Amino acid sequence: PGEPNNYYDGEHCLILFGPGNSRGGGSGKWNDAVNNDAEAQGYLIEWGAPAEPSTNAVNYNPLNGHQYQVVTGRLTWSQAAIAAGIVLNGVTGHLATVNSASENDFIRNLLTVESGTAWLGACDTNTEGVWSWITGEPWSYQNWYPGEPNNYYAGEDYLAMLGPPERRTLSIGKWNDASDSELEIMGYVVEWDYAGE
Ligand code: MMA
Ligand code: CA
């Protein structure tokens, strides 16, 4: 009752009152809130079939001590970049960043027909043609498919690793720049940077 009130003309996001909330604990009632409202302590994710993400095993790469997981699901790059931030044993994940041929091979071998072509953690949204890893690591290694990145129709700013089934000759493990909502994408790769494991 009384909501949405767009309090101080600044409330544009939806909250569901849960147990313990003094103003409607467990009621299931809604409130409009600010983007960073301290009252909101969680969020709800919904997946609709048939795009339900399914997680595969977490895989340890002995070459750098990092863990990797391929998640199958049709997310945009922006959605995947957020979804990858899950915590595993106290370490926050990120979309995978690739710094060597051996790391690229390791990830390439995790891709499946189900995950298909999958997001990696780089974009050139700041300056067209200047690619950077979301972790801030130097852009030292790259493995583009011939002719890529082509910024197709001037709308491709996000990095994907081409997966099976092979649609272009010798493509698996090679990189393509794609649009945020590229339909070819079927998964994303999460990396956790454990040090010294
Ligand atoms: C698709 C898309 C692009 C890629 C071209 C290559 C038609 O667009 O995946 O990112 O560069 O294919 O032909
Ligand atoms: Ca492209």
Side-chain angles (χ1 to χ4, degrees), residues 148 150 156 176-177:
E148 306 294 351
N150 61 358
E156 299 190 318
N176 179 32
D177 60 334

Side-chain angles (χ1 to χ4, degrees), residues 122-139:
C123 61
D124 73 339
T125 48
N126 282 345
T127 307
E128 174 52 39
V130 179
W131 287 83
S132 54
W133 297 115
I134 50 175
T135 52
E137 292 159 277
W139 186 259

